[in-house]
Amino acid sequence: MVLFYLSVILLTGLLFGKLAKKFKLPNVTGYLLGGLLIGPILGLLGVHVIPESEFEELHVISQIALGFIAFSIGTEFQLSYFKRVGKLPIVIATLESFFAIVVVFVTLIAFGNDVRFSLVLSAIAAATAPAATIMVIKQYKAKGEVTENLLSVVAIDDATAIVFFGLFVAVAKAIGNASGDINLAWMISKPFVEIVMSLGIGGLAGVLISFGFKWFTGRGNRISLLLAFIFLVAAMPELIEQVLPDFEVSTLLACMMMGAVFTNLTKEDVLDTVMYLVDRVTPPIFIMFFVISGAELQFDVLLTVGGIGVIYIVGRVIGKLFGAFLGAEIAHGSHNVKKYLGWGLVPQAGVAIGLTIVAANIVPEYAAKISAIILSATFVYELVGPLITKTALTKAGEITPEMAQQKMSH
């Protein structure tokens, strides 16, 4: 029956992705709405298209999707790229990610929430949705200093988000494992050891793929080799747990490092071919990933997270705006960059939902709550985020009023 459920999930995603386009919404919003329909909405009527017991088997789709997402982010880390763009976008991306987490965390704690829950939920706040921002820039042909730096920041942003997520989640795990006889120094250093292990595994995988691509030259063989390594690295947490039960590695960090090493050891034409093939392979995986995420949402939990959801949505935006402004100030950005760039970082989607899957394993007692908050926030951000980005770039003078008006009239 798993194949039947996968077919239903894909067809639902395709249909709702098409409907979302009709209403000028991002495809991901359509996928999530489709998931809501075949999950909790029909569930209220007693129709369970996908039985709850089947979701466990479908989680392998989420693992594969996360592997590809992190790998693709890693491929943005070309050293030549960083030399070209300079320090401004790097400083902004680091600080806007950091302050999004800090503002959400401090506010959650101030309202009396559990420390581990607050750490994990706030760690997801750093992620943005580059696709939504890039869509606005292309659609309205935005050009200028804010646009150029915004493109660089969203390219780096998800990587800084994954790194901060790894750090905060490691602290949450350390607190969860704390007991009276534990070594304090080891409790503090263990998260960093696990991060280094994750990066080391990913780096080694990146080197091996690069050598493998010199041996396998056909397109079919190369995409098969890449798939094999993404599956292998995604499976590493389980393999490591069997050998070293006290250690955990991050699939996201490992896959991101694999992409980063691979992209710097591979010739540009080979890299272009690989990314072309990845773009052909991943759409059905991502469609299934988002539809499943929507289908797993629990309406009864949604009703209990209203206040926390507002804290997350508002706190994240405040942190992003402040961090982007501070980063531009420190790195001597222009007045327009300081004032408008942060507004282009409001959208949030795929990476955040992916981090939710990881968070569910760290604090399983809060998994449903965190999932409901992030999916609700994603709907809000994906609905208003692109409009906010467009308004900011128009005010910065990088989208002409005529262009904005012409497109809006269609």
Side-chain angles (χ1 to χ4, degrees):
M1 288 297 284
V2 171
L3 291 177
F4 170 73
Y5 298 136
L6 291 178
S7 173
V8 170
I9 289 167
L10 268 174
L11 291 172
T12 302
L14 287 169
L15 177 62
F16 277 80
K18 199 78 173 171
L19 287 174
K21 272 192 175 177
K22 293 280 183 191
F23 291 96
K24 300 189 184 305
L25 294 171
N27 284 352
V28 63
T29 307
Y31 303 150
L32 291 170
L33 285 171
L36 280 175
L37 177 68
I38 64 171
I41 293 176
L42 287 179
L44 291 174
L45 304 174
V47 179
H48 299 285
V49 179
I50 303 172
E52 198 171 325
S53 58
E54 297 293 332
F55 280 111
E56 190 65 34
E57 289 189 51
L58 296 176
H59 279 171
V60 68
I61 300 294
S62 302
Q63 287 180 289
I64 297 170
L66 284 174
F68 272 111
I69 289 172
F71 176 81
S72 299
I73 291 169
T75 59
E76 301 289 339
F77 272 63
Q78 286 180 305
L79 295 178
S80 57
Y81 170 79
F82 288 110
K83 287 177 184 173
R84 189 173 71 250
V85 299
K87 67 177 181 181
L88 179 61
I90 299 172
V91 175
I92 292 175
T94 304
L95 290 183
E96 55 90 1
S97 296
F98 177 72
F99 279 102
I101 294 173
V102 168
V103 172
V104 173
F105 175 72
V106 170
T107 313
L108 287 171
I109 291 297
F111 279 86
N113 289 285
D114 175 71
V115 174
R116 292 181 69 225
F117 167 75
S118 301
L119 278 168
V120 175
L121 179 61
S122 61
I124 302 173
T128 58
T133 302
I134 292 169
M135 180 190 73
V136 171
I137 290 172
K138 285 186 176 177
Q139 184 176 356
Y140 296 99
K141 302 187 188 323
K143 282 183 182 175
E145 187 184 12
V146 178
T147 303
E148 286 176 8
N149 282 291
L150 180 58
L151 280 170
S152 298
V153 170
V154 296
I156 303 166
D157 175 273
D158 280 329
T160 55
I162 289 175
V163 172
F164 280 127
F165 180 82
L167 287 169
F168 274 67
V169 161
V171 174
K173 283 192 292 187
I175 293 173
N177 293 331
S179 62
D181 57 353
I182 197 164
N183 183 305
L184 182 62
W186 175 237
M187 190 179 82
I188 295 171
S189 59
K190 184 170 177 279
F192 295 97
V193 173
E194 291 178 346
I195 288 170
V196 171
M197 281 177 62
S198 305
L199 297 176
I201 290 169
L204 178 61
V207 172
L208 292 175
I209 291 184
S210 302
F211 280 113
F213 271 45
K214 291 175 182 172
W215 194 16
F216 296 104
T217 53
R219 287 187 171 193
N221 285 338
R222 282 179 165 174
I223 193 65
S224 300
L225 182 65
L226 178 60
L227 274 169
F229 270 90
I230 285 181
F231 291 171
L232 178 63
V233 175
M236 271 299 162
E238 292 179 36
L239 295 174
I240 294 288
E241 191 178 7
Q242 291 180 13
V243 183
L244 301 168
D246 291 335
F247 286 92
E248 293 180 44
V249 297
S250 164
T251 301
L252 288 170
L253 281 176
C255 285
M256 189 185 75
M257 179 56 85
M258 179 169 68
V261 172
F262 171 71
T263 197
N264 284 290
L265 293 180
T266 306
K267 291 180 179 175
E268 195 166 338
D269 59 328
V270 176
L271 182 64
D272 289 343
T273 303
V274 171
M275 296 315 294
Y276 171 81
L277 294 172
V278 167
D279 287 342
R280 302 283 84 75
V281 169
T282 51
I285 297 171
F286 290 154
I287 289 174
M288 289 190 284
F289 170 60
F290 289 121
V291 174
I292 291 170
S293 298
E296 287 190 290
L297 185 67
Q298 297 174 21
F299 276 149
D300 54 337
V301 178
L302 193 62
L303 297 175
T304 68
V305 299
I308 301 175
V310 172
I311 289 173
Y312 179 85
I313 291 170
V314 177
R316 176 178 171 272
V317 172
I318 292 172
K320 291 260 173 206
L321 291 175
F322 176 72
F325 174 84
L326 184 64
E329 182 73 27
I330 291 172
H332 308 296
S334 70
H335 172 75
N336 271 0
V337 170
K338 292 177 195 170
K339 190 173 180 181
Y340 296 114
L341 190 143
W343 294 103
L345 304 171
V346 171
Q348 185 178 49
V351 174
I353 294 171
L355 296 180
T356 304
I357 307 290
V358 180
N361 296 323
I362 310 300
V363 283
E365 66 272 33
Y366 295 117
K369 202 171 178 179
I370 291 175
S371 176
I373 293 168
I374 297 302
L375 287 181
S376 307
T378 296
F379 277 117
V380 174
Y381 288 136
E382 287 298 284
L383 284 174
V384 303
L387 181 61
I388 292 174
T389 303
K390 175 192 159 193
T391 304
L393 292 177
T394 303
K395 285 183 177 293
E398 299 187 6
I399 294 177
T400 63
E402 295 78 15
M403 177 61 77
Q405 192 58 42
Q406 282 174 9
K407 292 292 179 183
M408 287 177 72
S409 67
H410 287 313

